[in-house]
Each structure stands twice: as structure tokens, then as C-alpha cells.
Amino acid sequence: MVACRRIHGRERIKISDQSPVVCVQCEDAPCMNSCRVGAISRVNGVTIINRDLCVGCKLCMEACEYGAVHMDGLTAVKCTVCIESDNIMPACIESCPDGILTVSLNEEP
């Protein structure tokens, strides 16, 4: 959470029952399909929310079966595996002292 906040200025990871909830980057992303204003797109296999286009309707939150989309003020946010940063790996994985976090390249979450 701290690494995410340091890189992005806010947490893009949600905590539920004391466990992190991250976006699994669904291939046919329900959050993207539910967005009526086209604020969600896929870039290099990663689902991205354009905060400038987001109108805060929360349809993407309702559509995400994993609960990975949450609100930050009036716009939706979610993990982007730090695709827009200079990090080779997501900040949370790079900063994990125990090496518990990993990136899975599986087709299914």
C-alpha cells in the first residue's frame, strides 16, 4: 500500500478483510464493458481507467466481480500493475520484503 501510494500518489489497491484486492486484468473486462463513457480501455493487456473521462457513476465497481475497482474522490481507480511508471515490476512486488507477492501470467485469474 505504501509503495503504491509513493508511486501513484494514492492507493490503487483496496483492502478487504485485511487482504489486498488487486485487479486481475480480465481479458474481457466487465468493468470496461460496463463503462458508458469509454473511460476504461486496455493498453498492452492492462485495463486502465482514464480519470479525466470517468464520470464517477460506479458502474465499473458494480461490474467487477473481484471488487478491485474503488472510488478515490469522484473517480474510479484500480491497480494498473504500474504500467505507466518506470518500474519493471509493480511497486508492491518490488517493495515486498518477503517476496510473497508475484505477477501471474496465467490466462485465468
Side-chain angles (χ1 to χ4, degrees):
M1 297 289 292
V2 172
C4 189
R5 187 178 328 113
R6 181 176 36 93
I7 294 291
H8 304 292
R10 69 187 58 81
E11 290 93 0
R12 292 184 176 175
I13 300 171
K14 182 177 165 184
I15 297 293
S16 177
D17 298 326
Q18 298 184 4
S19 297
V21 178
V22 297
C23 179
V24 297
Q25 308 302 332
C26 302
E27 187 173 323
D28 187 26
C31 62
M32 182 176 66
N33 296 332
S34 72
C35 184
R36 295 180 182 168
V37 297
I40 304 175
S41 61
R42 300 222 1 124
V43 176
N44 297 327
V46 177
T47 309
I48 305 288
I49 299 175
N50 182 330
R51 293 174 55 95
D52 293 331
L53 297 177
C54 179
V55 295
C57 68
K58 301 180 185 175
L59 289 175
C60 56
M61 283 179 50
E62 294 172 14
C64 179
E65 62 187 86
Y66 298 98
V69 182
H70 59 282
M71 298 301 287
D72 179 37
L74 300 175
T75 58
V77 295
K78 59 173 253 353
C79 176
T80 60
V81 292
C82 298
I83 192 171
E84 70 283 10
S85 73
D86 292 334
N87 291 17
I88 294 172
M89 297 293 286
C92 57
I93 293 173
E94 284 185 346
S95 67
C96 182
D98 298 321
I100 294 170
L101 302 174
T102 61
V103 173
S104 173
L105 300 175
N106 296 335
E107 290 295 317
E108 292 294 319

